[in-house]
Amino acid sequence: MRNSSRALIATIAGFAALGFAGIALFYWAAFEGFNLNFGTIDLTLRVLIIAAIVAFSVFILASPESVGQATQKRSARLTANALVVSLVVVGIAVVINIIGDNVPTVRADWTAGQDFTLSPQTIKVLENLDKQTQAVAFIQSSDATARQQADDLLREYTSHNPKLTYTIVDPFRQRAQALAFNITRDGVVAFTNGEKRETANTISERDFTSALVRLQQNTVNTVAFLSGHGERDVTSFGPDGYAGAYQSLAQNNYQTVSWSLVTSPTLTVDQVSVLVIAQPQKPITDKEVATIQQ
């Protein structure tokens, strides 16, 4: 009776292991695109891999003699071979990723436009990163192109400083993590060092680096735009507008203000780091020039 129960448990565990391994391989191909970065594998795939390993362990413990008997019967042999091959493939992938994550690699950008070569400014920001920082890219699993783009760029960032790590999660499947970062839409990358959190709204070097700059800065510099003489409009996106520059400054953690000599006749360097006089159309009086120089 005991042997019969053990045989039943072994049979169920064997089929369960084969099923979990098959589903893991299918899920890996369909949703991860055979992604070999173990750090970005989502929770579902990890659970399937663990379930397959546990079920296979139960199969071996419940019926260790079945491994030898499998060679005596063709159908059993085929089933055992399929199970072993599936688990070996998953196991090899896991081992390769663990080794790959811990062995330094030589990197080279062979693209014509040097698409994956970071700018000197970005490299300097990364070299100055002194706190353990995590990047979490919130991109749905079905958007393979965006996930690959984020993975390529973040991998390049982490290659310059081991203190920066990253993961890619699906904000719709992993809602708890998205809500913890206050993320409500797809395509956002959050950077956190445990004390502060900054986000990049696009998958681009400019936005990633801007978020890291803001994350590291403890003080905010102020840029003032002179107004009252027909200067460029900092709120306009037209040909003569400075809205793009205005937004770029904000993204790089600069505070921006509009300064009128009429309403604020005095302004000190303690209040403002830079004063921008953007093509005034009316003359600036000698008194105003003296105020600016002072």
Side-chain angles (χ1 to χ4, degrees):
M1 184 68 178
R2 178 177 296 180
N3 290 337
S4 177
S5 299
R6 286 179 57 190
L8 178 61
I9 293 173
T11 300
I12 294 174
F15 279 110
L18 182 60
F20 283 128
I23 294 172
L25 286 172
F26 175 79
Y27 185 94
W28 187 27
F31 297 101
E32 299 290 338
F34 290 115
N35 177 23
L36 291 178
N37 188 347
F38 189 71
T40 65
I41 293 178
D42 66 15
L43 180 62
T44 302
L45 182 54
R46 295 189 188 202
V47 169
L48 289 171
I49 293 174
I50 293 172
I53 294 173
V54 170
F56 183 69
S57 300
V58 172
F59 169 74
I60 294 297
L61 292 173
S63 183
E65 69 279 0
S66 62
V67 177
Q69 294 175 352
T71 60
Q72 301 174 8
K73 193 172 181 181
R74 186 171 182 274
S75 60
R77 186 168 63 250
L78 292 175
T79 301
N81 288 342
L83 176 59
V84 171
V85 169
S86 298
L87 291 177
V88 166
V89 170
V90 174
I92 289 175
V94 172
V95 171
I96 289 175
N97 282 289
I98 292 175
I99 294 174
D101 287 342
N102 290 278
V103 175
T105 57
V106 177
R107 304 177 64 81
D109 186 357
W110 297 98
T111 58
Q114 298 289 287
D115 298 329
F116 301 108
T117 299
L118 301 180
S119 67
Q121 293 86 353
T122 293
I123 294 174
K124 184 176 181 180
V125 169
L126 290 169
E127 290 175 346
N128 292 333
L129 198 65
D130 58 354
K131 294 182 179 179
Q132 196 67 36
T133 303
Q134 181 187 22
V136 184
F138 293 91
I139 307 170
Q140 56 185 331
S141 300
S142 59
D143 194 346
T145 301
R147 287 176 76 92
Q148 187 61 55
Q149 182 183 357
D151 182 64
D152 289 340
L153 188 54
L154 288 169
R155 187 189 296 269
E156 187 64 30
Y157 269 67
T158 57
S159 72
H160 289 277
N161 194 328
K163 291 184 179 180
L164 177 64
T165 59
Y166 75 94
T167 56
I168 301 177
V169 302
D170 189 323
F172 304 110
R173 294 184 178 183
Q174 295 160 278
R175 291 292 299 161
Q177 193 167 358
L179 292 174
F181 280 82
N182 198 28
I183 301 299
T184 58
R185 66 181 185 84
D186 182 46
V188 176
V189 181
F191 294 85
T192 178
N193 59 13
E195 299 176 1
K196 293 175 60 181
R197 182 185 304 159
E198 296 290 344
T199 58
N201 293 319
T202 64
I203 303 171
S204 66
E205 180 183 349
R206 184 191 69 177
D207 278 5
F208 284 9
T209 301
S210 295
L212 286 173
V213 169
R214 295 195 302 271
L215 193 67
Q216 296 180 73
Q217 286 185 343
N218 295 320
T219 59
V220 178
N221 294 320
T222 301
V223 177
F225 288 83
L226 190 66
S227 63
H229 311 87
E231 292 86 354
R232 296 287 187 100
D233 186 357
V234 295
T235 63
S236 172
F237 285 95
D240 297 327
Y242 268 21
Y246 197 78
Q247 287 186 343
S248 181
L249 287 168
Q251 289 175 347
N252 285 278
N253 207 36
Y254 286 92
Q255 181 178 345
T256 51
V257 297
S258 179
W259 179 36
S260 170
L261 290 169
V262 176
T263 58
S264 302
T266 60
L267 199 65
T268 67
V269 292
D270 293 333
Q271 296 172 286
V272 171
S273 305
V274 178
L275 173 64
V276 179
I277 304 176
Q279 290 189 332
Q281 302 302 307
K282 298 177 182 179
I284 301 175
T285 66
D286 292 341
K287 183 179 179 180
E288 290 174 328
V289 171
T291 302
I292 293 172
Q293 290 176 339
Q294 190 178 22

